[in-house]
Amino acid sequence: MTVTVDAGVLLQQLVDTISTLGFALPAATYWNAVSVAGAVSTGAHGSSLWGRGGALHDYVVGVSLVVPATEEDGFAKVVRLDENSSKDLLDAAKLSLGVLGAISKITLSIEPMFKRSVALEVKDDCEIEEQVLRFGSDHEFGDICWHPSLKASLFKLDGRAPLETPGGGTNKYRGFQPIPVERAEQSRRSEEKIEQDKDEWTLCRLSEMVLNSRVPSGNGYLNDGINFTGFPVVGYNNLMQTAGGCQDAPPQVNSDVCSWDPRVAGSFYHQTAFSVSLDKVKDLILDIKKLRDMDPSSLCGLSLYGGIYLRYVKASSAYLGQKEDAVEFDITYYRSRDAGTPRLNEDVVEEIEQMALFKYQGKPHWGKNRNIAFTSIRDRVKDLDRFVWAKSRLDPAGLFSSEWSDAILGGDRDGIISFHDHCALEGMCICSEDRHCAPESGFFCRPGKVFASARVCRYEGEEKAGGGVKPIYS
Ligand SMILES: Cc1cc2nc3c(=O)[nH]c(=O)nc-3n(C[C@H](O)[C@H](O)[C@H](O)COP(=O)(O)OP(=O)(O)OC[C@H]3O[C@@H](n4cnc5c(N)ncnc54)[C@H](O)[C@@H]3O)c2cc1C
């Protein structure tokens, strides 16, 4: 079964519409306001190693692409690519970063409707490096939010339930609900104060509160669409697989907003997301644990943003996609609005980023990440040369390319990173001199503590305030 949609259709519109006809799309991003073309073109995904996996582009079986053409052809033509007649080009177009042409329609493989059953559980992280490998095969759509400083993990047990299972559940994930502008700005101010005071103690207490509230509150899962009465929550796939809400708030800037709305002084953060093949996941987790054990409070800041999200990504036929089955590590963390201001425990997150990218050959998520993540994608993706070949066929003049896309696809480091004062703080470079960090604020360029080849901006000023994490499990 397939469905064909216009490129700009939003994910929730798509899954709701096919649900009325009794069909389901198993894969989805967790945010429902992405367009189908935007999600597909950036390799966006949910979490699954089963079936076709959790990435939207792996459900694409056909694409209509508007590409440049000769004057006689009216300068543009529509090319139809599908699995039977043009698989080679389709494997390029199903994850294309927009550089092959403008997608006008997308055909996706769909399935008969099913329900999902979801439960959340918090456990200690003693064996997380072993559990993560098993969990992905045991739970079709499961994921794990790992909170290293709290020595705890939040497991989402998410799998299919037969259609006749009772339950009218929905997913109204709390982080995607509208909040008043004042609240968005107030919580940002609190975060800025914590950063300014280097107040790890408060950061760790807040992080504990956030994690401790997840299971009792249901974290946005509602058994009957209105109330949370306990896990498991069972509901139709389209109402459970993805969530949103704040995108529908009125456009006036003085009303409710998404917490990250750039029109207000709310949340502002970096995202670092890389997928690491299953055989390397355990060692990366053990390295992160070593870093954590050297300074147990240093990763509390990640927990404020949900911890290290571990999601499963299946090997793909897309040339810019995943080579092998993998776990994606998705990290969100504080970002100063001033590019020259470092953040608390800057060095630890930078070391994780470099370790994952360079020691464990992590593949960066195309729709997230800072510049340094894209310096060496050749060995990270399935077949870069084949993608470049397809690009030369579909858009030989490079009308849909930019200096940025040329630099990434051509491996031109100088077009990706740049060296200047403070460049490492924003991920524009890896530091090689102190001035790339913020020596005037006590941040100097130093080797990694676990991954010695890393070069990170480490604070060597006065002690941090508070410190001392009280792990949820010790
Ligand atoms: C709150 C939030 C939650 C998120 N959650 C997830 C998640 O769970 N999993 C995940 O993997 N990602 C996630 N993301 C990242 C997200 O999936 C990507 O940023 C995605 O690209 C967003 O889709 P969009 O429609 O907004 O993209 P756009 O910004 O509109 O498009 C992204 C890119 O896709 C290409 N593109 C778009 N339309 C076309 C077209 N018609 N033809 C050709 N190329 C096109 C262009 O290169 C464009 O720059 C999240 C993002 C947000 C903001």
XYZ file of all heavy atoms in Angstrom, residues 7-8 10 28-31 33-39 41-46 65 96-99 101-104 176 260 269 271 311 328 330 365 367-368, ligand 1:
336
model
N 4.638 17.764 -1.280
C 5.844 17.860 -0.461
C 5.635 18.627 0.845
O 6.225 18.308 1.872
C 6.952 18.527 -1.277
N 4.783 19.637 0.802
C 4.646 20.511 1.971
C 3.626 20.039 2.997
O 3.409 20.718 4.007
N 2.102 18.509 6.147
C 2.732 18.303 7.454
C 2.515 16.862 7.921
O 1.499 16.234 7.598
C 2.171 19.281 8.485
C 2.387 20.766 8.167
C 1.896 21.641 9.319
C 3.862 21.068 7.873
N 7.994 8.173 12.243
C 7.652 9.589 12.412
C 8.710 10.271 13.255
O 9.285 9.652 14.154
C 6.297 9.732 13.103
N 8.943 11.547 12.974
C 9.725 12.350 13.911
C 8.851 12.563 15.141
O 7.630 12.437 15.076
C 10.048 13.726 13.301
O 8.827 14.291 12.805
C 11.035 13.617 12.171
N 9.464 12.935 16.248
C 8.675 13.119 17.468
C 7.897 14.438 17.430
O 6.970 14.630 18.193
C 9.590 13.071 18.690
C 10.095 11.667 19.000
C 9.824 10.592 18.154
C 10.830 11.416 20.147
C 10.279 9.318 18.441
C 11.284 10.139 20.446
C 11.014 9.096 19.585
O 11.471 7.831 19.884
N 8.298 15.331 16.559
C 7.625 16.635 16.395
C 6.765 16.530 15.147
O 7.265 16.142 14.085
C 8.701 17.714 16.263
C 8.323 19.085 15.799
C 8.800 19.719 14.682
C 7.462 20.025 16.447
N 8.289 20.987 14.603
C 7.462 21.203 15.676
C 6.683 19.983 17.601
C 6.729 22.331 16.015
C 5.946 21.107 17.942
C 5.974 22.260 17.161
N 5.085 18.825 13.368
C 4.881 19.952 12.448
C 5.957 20.036 11.374
O 6.112 21.068 10.731
C 4.805 21.254 13.232
N 6.691 18.960 11.176
C 7.641 18.949 10.054
C 6.865 18.686 8.770
O 5.814 18.043 8.789
C 8.722 17.852 10.212
C 9.620 18.132 11.393
C 8.094 16.463 10.344
N 7.380 19.197 7.657
C 6.773 18.852 6.371
C 7.332 17.492 5.953
O 8.451 17.124 6.353
C 7.118 19.902 5.313
O 8.505 19.898 5.057
N 6.574 16.790 5.142
C 7.057 15.473 4.716
C 8.372 15.637 3.944
O 9.348 14.925 4.193
C 5.980 14.750 3.865
C 6.515 13.427 3.338
C 4.729 14.512 4.703
N 8.442 16.633 3.052
C 9.680 16.809 2.269
C 10.847 17.229 3.156
O 11.977 16.774 2.963
C 9.469 17.834 1.162
N 10.592 18.102 4.125
C 11.665 18.566 5.014
C 12.214 17.425 5.846
O 13.427 17.293 6.026
N 11.319 16.585 6.349
C 11.765 15.466 7.190
C 12.533 14.439 6.357
O 13.611 13.978 6.739
C 10.562 14.818 7.865
N 14.054 14.906 3.496
C 15.283 15.446 2.899
C 16.414 15.614 3.897
O 17.568 15.792 3.502
C 15.003 16.801 2.242
O 14.006 16.664 1.271
N 16.112 15.598 5.188
C 17.166 15.738 6.199
C 17.420 14.415 6.928
O 18.144 14.380 7.915
C 16.785 16.815 7.240
O 15.486 16.508 7.771
C 16.752 18.198 6.618
N 16.786 13.352 6.458
C 17.014 12.044 7.089
C 16.380 11.936 8.459
O 16.853 11.174 9.310
N 15.313 12.682 8.705
C 14.718 12.709 10.043
C 14.065 11.368 10.380
O 13.612 10.639 9.502
C 13.702 13.836 10.133
N 13.990 11.088 11.668
C 13.551 9.751 12.079
C 12.934 9.746 13.465
O 13.100 10.695 14.244
C 14.756 8.803 12.076
C 15.871 9.301 12.943
N 15.907 9.089 14.300
C 16.957 10.046 12.647
C 16.986 9.661 14.798
N 17.643 10.264 13.819
N 12.252 8.648 13.756
C 11.826 8.347 15.112
C 12.810 7.335 15.663
O 14.018 7.593 15.673
N 10.339 15.120 -8.779
C 11.365 16.115 -8.516
C 11.350 17.140 -9.644
O 11.387 16.768 -10.821
C 12.707 15.373 -8.501
C 13.916 15.965 -7.836
C 13.664 16.217 -6.357
C 15.092 14.992 -7.996
N 18.042 13.973 0.224
C 18.828 14.742 -0.747
C 19.277 16.108 -0.260
O 19.927 16.836 -1.007
C 18.001 14.928 -2.010
O 16.947 15.839 -1.736
N 18.926 16.519 0.942
C 19.291 17.850 1.467
C 18.794 18.967 0.557
O 19.289 20.094 0.631
C 20.817 17.984 1.633
C 21.550 16.840 2.329
C 23.043 17.112 2.350
C 21.027 16.639 3.736
N 17.903 18.652 -0.341
C 17.355 19.675 -1.241
C 18.260 20.019 -2.408
O 17.941 20.914 -3.193
N 19.385 19.314 -2.572
C 20.346 19.740 -3.598
C 20.140 19.084 -4.959
O 20.873 19.372 -5.903
C 21.823 19.520 -3.149
C 22.118 20.289 -1.877
C 22.151 18.050 -2.986
N 17.012 19.053 -6.502
C 15.873 19.700 -7.142
C 14.799 19.895 -6.089
O 15.007 19.568 -4.919
N 13.663 20.429 -6.513
C 12.568 20.654 -5.561
C 11.606 19.474 -5.631
O 11.054 19.173 -6.697
C 11.837 21.946 -5.892
N 11.427 18.814 -4.519
C 10.485 17.694 -4.483
C 9.075 18.277 -4.532
O 8.750 19.197 -3.772
C 10.661 16.875 -3.186
C 12.055 16.260 -3.133
C 9.581 15.808 -3.070
C 12.407 15.630 -1.791
N 8.251 17.746 -5.436
C 6.863 18.233 -5.469
C 5.908 17.204 -4.874
O 4.928 17.564 -4.235
C 6.447 18.606 -6.893
O 6.615 17.503 -7.750
N 6.243 20.118 23.842
C 5.739 20.710 22.601
C 4.435 21.474 22.808
O 3.777 21.861 21.843
C 5.512 19.621 21.541
C 6.774 18.926 21.078
C 6.711 17.687 20.450
C 8.025 19.503 21.249
C 7.860 17.035 20.016
C 9.185 18.861 20.829
C 9.103 17.627 20.210
N 10.905 27.465 22.157
C 12.095 27.836 21.375
C 11.792 28.908 20.317
O 12.614 29.201 19.462
C 12.672 26.595 20.687
C 11.725 25.958 19.710
C 11.580 26.270 18.389
C 10.779 24.910 19.965
N 10.607 25.481 17.809
C 10.104 24.640 18.752
C 10.446 24.172 21.105
C 9.102 23.664 18.647
C 9.454 23.204 20.988
C 8.801 22.962 19.784
N 19.459 26.823 22.246
C 20.330 25.681 22.544
C 21.048 25.173 21.306
O 20.698 25.498 20.172
C 19.497 24.533 23.144
C 18.209 24.246 22.400
C 18.211 23.531 21.213
C 16.982 24.706 22.893
C 17.035 23.273 20.531
C 15.796 24.456 22.212
C 15.832 23.742 21.034
O 14.671 23.499 20.342
N 22.219 21.604 19.324
C 21.885 20.183 19.247
C 23.019 19.457 18.551
O 23.491 19.892 17.499
C 20.593 19.970 18.473
C 19.374 20.145 19.349
C 18.128 19.603 18.710
O 17.896 19.824 17.526
N 17.331 18.904 19.478
N 18.191 6.692 20.264
C 17.142 6.182 19.368
C 17.767 5.263 18.327
O 18.931 5.415 17.969
C 16.415 7.345 18.686
C 15.590 8.130 19.683
C 14.619 9.045 18.993
N 15.222 10.308 18.640
C 14.556 11.310 18.083
N 13.283 11.175 17.793
N 15.155 12.446 17.804
N 21.265 6.404 17.562
C 21.549 7.835 17.502
C 21.602 8.409 18.910
O 20.728 8.148 19.740
C 20.513 8.593 16.694
C 20.944 10.061 16.639
C 20.143 10.921 15.714
O 19.112 11.433 16.159
O 20.557 11.072 14.563
N 21.426 11.812 20.780
C 20.899 13.145 20.479
C 21.011 13.993 21.748
O 20.425 13.656 22.773
C 19.428 12.970 20.067
C 18.903 14.150 19.295
O 19.254 15.280 19.642
O 18.122 13.928 18.351
N 23.472 13.834 12.205
C 22.106 14.044 11.704
C 22.161 15.276 10.806
O 22.682 16.319 11.197
C 21.181 14.284 12.899
C 19.723 14.373 12.554
N 19.227 15.213 11.583
C 18.645 13.731 13.059
C 17.908 15.082 11.509
N 17.535 14.177 12.388
N 19.899 17.307 9.865
C 19.047 18.451 10.220
C 19.397 19.052 11.567
O 18.654 19.895 12.073
N 20.494 18.600 12.184
C 20.896 19.129 13.493
C 22.394 19.420 13.416
O 22.938 19.493 12.321
C 20.564 18.106 14.585
C 19.076 17.736 14.591
C 18.694 16.788 15.697
C 17.191 16.514 15.636
N 16.742 15.607 16.697
C 10.798 20.653 17.837
C 11.548 19.799 16.871
C 11.601 18.429 17.076
C 12.290 17.619 16.174
N 12.281 16.271 16.356
C 12.961 15.483 15.501
C 12.937 14.064 15.633
O 12.264 13.517 16.493
N 13.692 13.335 14.776
C 14.439 13.918 13.796
O 15.115 13.203 13.062
N 14.443 15.245 13.608
C 13.731 16.033 14.444
N 13.740 17.386 14.260
C 14.507 17.932 13.137
C 13.588 18.002 11.932
O 13.142 16.745 11.559
C 14.296 18.601 10.730
O 14.763 19.855 11.111
C 13.358 18.712 9.542
O 14.076 19.117 8.435
C 12.304 19.723 9.801
O 11.344 19.687 8.766
P 10.779 21.054 8.166
O 9.638 20.721 7.287
O 10.574 22.022 9.265
O 12.056 21.393 7.350
P 12.461 22.609 6.443
O 13.333 23.494 7.256
O 11.308 23.177 5.712
O 13.351 21.794 5.417
C 14.577 21.240 5.774
C 15.378 21.042 4.513
O 14.764 20.021 3.722
C 14.893 20.336 2.357
N 13.555 20.460 1.766
C 12.411 20.870 2.349
N 11.392 20.853 1.461
C 11.907 20.422 0.293
C 11.366 20.190 -1.017
N 10.082 20.385 -1.304
N 12.205 19.747 -1.976
C 13.511 19.529 -1.721
N 14.069 19.734 -0.510
C 13.282 20.163 0.486
C 15.673 21.638 2.260
O 17.045 21.329 2.109
C 15.443 22.272 3.610
O 16.484 23.117 4.009
C 12.999 18.203 15.094
C 12.945 19.593 14.892
C 12.209 20.376 15.759
C 12.132 21.850 15.496
